[in-house]
Amino acid sequence: MNYKEICEDVIALVRECGDMIVDLRTRLNPDDIVAKGKNDFVTAVDKASELKLVTALGTLLPEAGFIAEEGTSVKRGELYNWIIDPIDGTTNFMHGAPPYSISIALQEGDRMVIGVVYEIASKECFYAWKGGKAYLNGKEIRCSNKKTVSDSLIATGFPYKSFDRLDNFMKSMVYFMEESHGLRRLGSAAVDLAYVACGRFDAFYEYGLQPWDVAAGAFLIEQAGGKNSDFSGGQNYLWGKEMVSGNSHNFNEFQAVIDKLMNAD
């Protein structure tokens, strides 16, 4: 399989889909927004985006299945599966506050082989394929070289419906406010991870995540020289609903801090 060619096709697709999302947003009205749960929303545009993506990707790689946020297709592939978030950062999108993004990964077995994150408002496309490097709009990107947590700018996401670990999370925020260059919360985990891959952020952590939030961004970080894990240092970040990411220098220290703070009794 030519991963580069498939990745290039996905890039063209997300740019086209991004233009559609921008156009549809001008016609979004309150009746187009549905609450899936507390503070968890989906819009008609999310659904239109996912339908377009699933249809096109199904043509591009007919043998692949899908793990898609809105459940447009429940087909599962024996070897290949697309992991799709049609709009990551829907709450931002609803309010017209960037960033919001399209996130697409191709999984081969239990490993990612393609990752694309398209930040729609800025038209920045982050992408990588197996055997290649990581890129932003045609230019190679790398994770930062910050060596310590104290020198790092850290991204996170605030819990919006899962508050069982909130006390520990608040303690972690206090720690990083005091012991790092600061915390940022953009509202799109896919963009947070892409920013770690290109060195704008030096580390990232969050809980309450879904596979479509992190699959593409995690692969970008790996191809850009960084590392990912769950809070305990294992590799169950795709399905384990928690993730730590950093560059190759600060990762071990950062992961150990997260383990201590977020896994405290």
Side-chain angles (χ1 to χ4, degrees):
M1 177 174 291
N2 191 319
Y3 302 114
K4 180 181 178 181
E5 287 186 2
I6 293 175
C7 186
E8 289 171 346
D9 288 337
V10 176
I11 292 166
L13 173 61
V14 296
R15 289 190 180 278
E16 181 181 328
C17 194
D19 290 342
M20 181 193 76
I21 289 169
V22 170
D23 177 62
L24 289 176
R25 198 197 171 281
T26 64
R27 289 173 270 155
L28 188 69
N29 62 68
D31 292 337
D32 295 324
I33 301 170
V34 176
K36 296 189 288 185
K38 182 177 175 62
N39 299 324
D40 187 11
F41 302 98
V42 61
T43 72
V45 184
D46 292 76
K47 294 181 178 181
S49 172
E50 187 168 291
L51 178 59
K52 181 179 181 67
L53 295 170
V54 166
T55 300
L57 294 171
T59 300
L60 178 62
L61 199 63
E63 66 268 36
F66 297 92
I67 301 168
E69 180 175 15
E70 307 308 333
T72 300
S73 173
V74 295
K75 173 187 175 184
R76 290 292 185 271
E78 291 186 9
L79 181 59
Y80 296 104
N81 285 285
W82 295 104
I83 304 178
I84 302 171
D85 195 332
I87 302 179
D88 186 56
T90 296
T91 301
N92 284 1
F93 172 73
M94 287 162 44
H95 290 272
Y100 39 90
S101 62
I102 300 169
S103 177
I104 299 177
L106 179 62
Q107 186 179 38
E108 180 180 341
D110 60 355
R111 299 292 298 174
M112 301 305 149
V113 292
I114 290 173
V116 178
V117 174
Y118 182 54
E119 204 287 286
I120 296 166
S122 67
K123 296 188 175 182
E124 288 190 325
C125 192
F126 303 81
Y127 54 92
W129 60 85
K130 181 180 177 181
K133 298 178 181 178
Y135 299 89
L136 164 56
N137 290 352
K139 295 183 179 180
E140 183 183 348
I141 55 175
R142 297 287 294 175
C143 293
S144 76
N145 59 5
K146 297 297 176 62
K147 292 180 171 55
T148 65
V149 169
S150 63
D151 289 331
S152 296
L153 180 63
I154 295 165
T156 190
F158 299 160
Y160 59 94
K161 63 178 181 179
S162 177
F163 300 108
D164 56 312
R165 306 173 79 175
L166 187 58
D167 288 345
N168 287 353
F169 180 73
M170 296 301 292
K171 291 176 183 177
S172 75
M173 291 182 64
V174 171
Y175 180 90
F176 291 122
M177 287 176 193
E178 296 176 345
E179 303 295 338
S180 75
H181 279 193
L183 283 168
R184 299 292 181 268
R185 194 267 189 176
L186 299 183
S188 168
V191 174
D192 287 333
L193 294 169
Y195 280 15
V196 173
C198 73
R200 293 174 184 171
F201 292 148
D202 305 299
F204 165 84
Y205 75 110
E206 187 175 346
Y207 77 92
L209 296 163
Q210 299 294 336
W212 43 80
D213 297 321
V214 302
F219 183 68
L220 288 171
I221 288 172
E222 290 175 0
Q223 298 303 102
K227 297 180 179 180
N228 307 293
S229 77
D230 55 35
F231 287 174
S232 300
Q235 290 300 296
N236 188 30
Y237 56 83
L238 186 64
W239 296 100
K241 298 187 177 183
E242 60 181 42
M243 187 171 183
V244 179
S245 301
N247 65 45
S248 61
H249 304 285
N250 68 9
F251 179 81
N252 288 342
E253 179 193 359
F254 185 62
Q255 184 274 318
V257 170
I258 295 297
D259 187 12
K260 180 180 178 179
L261 294 172
M262 291 300 300
N263 290 329
D265 294 332

